[in-house]
Amino acid sequence: MISLKEVSKRFITKQGEIVAVDNVNLDIQRGEIFGIIGYSGAGKSTLIRLLNGLEKPSVGQIVVNGQEITSINEEKLRGFRQKVSMIFQHFNLLWSRTVAENIAFPLEIAGVPKDKRKARVEELLNLVGLEGRGDSYPSQLSGGQKQRVGIARALANGPEVLLCDEATSALDPETTDSILDLLVSINEKLGLTIVLITHEMQVIQKICNRVAVMENGQVVEEGDVLEVFQKPQQAITKRFVSQISDSNQPVQTIQKLVQLYPNGKLVKLVFVGETTEQPILSRLIKQFDLEVNIVQGNISHTKSGAFGTLILQIDGNDQAVEDAIQFIHSQKVNTEVINND
């Protein structure tokens, strides 16, 4: 659906050349929700602007739905943008227009007759849960409602791709969840390909099928969300994953845990998918003559399945401890020994 091959974007400034996107290769499948995560300055906003032709790459090729967009003329680019819509962090609504008029605006530009515009607007109001609010003005809406207007407007011309530029960053957690649920619903109902950029791993966790992690203009890690959660490779990815691991409870540092639990071995267990539902701990206690203490743990849920971590203190006969660790391995649970006392 979307393919980027060796794409780079450079800007010339008074301070010199800035490489905002550096040799990025990506393939995004039709109908998936693909996340691009990175901290400020990582290049993700420039990357998403490349996807709808607002910026042209310095080098490389971008293909969207079979159309190579890096060299098409302005007229074709305008037609292309009707099929690739965008929603923004700060909504970008026309404050002097009603909700219905905001949603109808791209239809006006496209030359859609008035009666068809009205019918389409009503359809979209229902889709985003704003029935009866067509005559309201943006100033009369909550942040979540404003974003729903932005989503409806972006869907007006029946796009094939929806780009989301930090679309939930200005919203409170509860409203964020409702907007993410709406995006999932739209993705499923319309078969829409959604590409979203964010600096919040919770957003990736909740709705994305796959994720690309950006740092210094480069994609440093990419994969299925559950796989990235299970085995983050890069330091920055581990930081993002820790946003989820640390969100549910206070987590002690490894050094602190070693100090607090000096006896036996501290073992970190990583559960993925169906293994999160297995009674492994009770089997461990029944089968081996050991003292097993739960030090800390949590379970998070992604679109692809559950992901959990558990740190145990296992104390007892050395051989029994080793046998217990091998038993855990046999249950398809990744393990890591934190200390070897």
Side-chain angles (χ1 to χ4, degrees), residues 282-295:
S282 64
R283 294 176 186 171
L284 187 69
I285 294 171
K286 289 178 181 178
Q287 189 167 336
F288 300 92
D289 184 20
L290 296 167
E291 291 185 6
V292 180
N293 181 28
I294 299 175
V295 173

Side-chain angles (χ1 to χ4, degrees), residues 47-65:
L47 183 62
I48 206 168
R49 288 171 63 85
L50 289 167
L51 296 182
N52 66 358
L54 290 174
E55 299 283 356
K56 288 191 175 182
S58 303
V59 295
Q61 183 184 60
I62 301 174
V63 177
V64 180
N65 198 22

Side-chain angles (χ1 to χ4, degrees), residues 251-313:
V251 176
Q252 304 285 351
T253 64
I254 295 301
Q255 293 85 351
K256 186 66 173 178
L257 288 175
V258 171
Q259 293 173 7
L260 291 172
Y261 303 94
N263 300 321
K265 289 187 178 181
L266 288 182
V267 183
K268 180 179 179 180
L269 282 59
V270 179
F271 302 84
V272 179
E274 293 180 359
T275 61
T276 59
E277 301 175 4
Q278 300 301 314
I280 293 172
L281 188 57
S282 64
R283 294 176 186 171
L284 187 69
I285 294 171
K286 289 178 181 178
Q287 189 167 336
F288 300 92
D289 184 20
L290 296 167
E291 291 185 6
V292 180
N293 181 28
I294 299 175
V295 173
Q296 94 187 7
N298 63 72
I299 294 177
S300 301
H301 294 273
T302 74
K303 199 175 184 213
S304 304
F307 167 84
T309 60
L310 191 67
I311 296 180
L312 303 178
Q313 179 193 35

Side-chain angles (χ1 to χ4, degrees), residues 219-237:
V219 172
V220 297
E221 194 160 348
E222 177 193 355
D224 179 87
V225 169
L226 196 57
E227 293 176 359
V228 170
F229 270 53
Q230 180 185 5
K231 297 179 180 178
Q233 300 298 310
Q234 302 297 320
I236 187 172
T237 311

Side-chain angles (χ1 to χ4, degrees), residues 54-298:
L54 290 174
E55 299 283 356
K56 288 191 175 182
S58 303
V59 295
Q61 183 184 60
I62 301 174
V63 177
V64 180
N65 198 22
Q67 184 173 26
E68 205 278 328
I69 68 169
T70 49
S71 59
I72 61 176
N73 60 38
E74 284 298 321
E75 181 180 352
K76 289 184 178 179
L77 189 58
R78 283 193 295 270
F80 162 78
R81 285 185 184 138
Q82 291 187 3
K83 295 300 180 183
V84 180
S85 288
M86 196 163 177
I87 58 174
F88 306 89
Q89 177 180 358
H90 297 296
F91 322 126
N92 288 12
L93 302 180
L94 301 170
W95 299 97
S96 62
R97 287 181 169 236
T98 65
V99 166
E101 290 168 343
N102 267 278
I103 297 171
F105 186 62
L107 298 171
E108 293 177 36
I109 296 175
V112 176
K114 187 174 181 179
D115 58 336
K116 291 187 177 180
R117 291 202 306 263
K118 185 176 181 180
R120 179 62 172 158
V121 167
E122 286 300 318
E123 179 185 350
L124 290 166
L125 285 170
N126 291 333
L127 179 65
V128 301
L130 289 176
E131 303 92 332
R133 299 307 302 267
D135 293 329
S136 300
Y137 285 87
S139 61
Q140 298 171 308
L141 303 179
S142 67
Q145 290 170 329
K146 290 171 187 173
Q147 194 56 281
R148 288 173 185 268
V149 177
I151 293 171
R153 181 183 58 186
L155 298 176
N157 281 316
E160 297 168 344
V161 178
L162 180 63
L163 306 178
C164 306
D165 186 1
E166 297 278 10
T168 60
S169 294
L171 305 175
D172 63 75
E174 185 176 351
T175 306
T176 291
D177 283 345
S178 70
I179 293 298
L180 295 178
D181 288 340
L182 175 59
L183 290 175
V184 171
S185 175
I186 289 169
N187 167 258
E188 293 172 350
K189 289 178 181 177
L190 305 181
L192 197 64
T193 303
I194 297 178
V195 182
L196 62 86
I197 66 170
T198 184
H199 62 275
E200 299 172 307
M201 199 63 176
Q202 290 86 348
V203 173
I204 301 294
Q205 172 198 11
K206 186 173 177 65
I207 72 169
C208 291
N209 304 103
R210 292 190 300 134
V211 62
V213 182
M214 289 195 72
E215 185 176 29
N216 297 325
Q218 298 180 324
V219 172
V220 297
E221 194 160 348
E222 177 193 355
D224 179 87
V225 169
L226 196 57
E227 293 176 359
V228 170
F229 270 53
Q230 180 185 5
K231 297 179 180 178
Q233 300 298 310
Q234 302 297 320
I236 187 172
T237 311
K238 293 175 183 178
R239 287 174 64 190
F240 279 124
V241 171
S242 73
Q243 291 181 4
I244 305 301
S245 300
D246 297 353
S247 63
N248 296 326
Q249 59 184 28
V251 176
Q252 304 285 351
T253 64
I254 295 301
Q255 293 85 351
K256 186 66 173 178
L257 288 175
V258 171
Q259 293 173 7
L260 291 172
Y261 303 94
N263 300 321
K265 289 187 178 181
L266 288 182
V267 183
K268 180 179 179 180
L269 282 59
V270 179
F271 302 84
V272 179
E274 293 180 359
T275 61
T276 59
E277 301 175 4
Q278 300 301 314
I280 293 172
L281 188 57
S282 64
R283 294 176 186 171
L284 187 69
I285 294 171
K286 289 178 181 178
Q287 189 167 336
F288 300 92
D289 184 20
L290 296 167
E291 291 185 6
V292 180
N293 181 28
I294 299 175
V295 173
Q296 94 187 7
N298 63 72

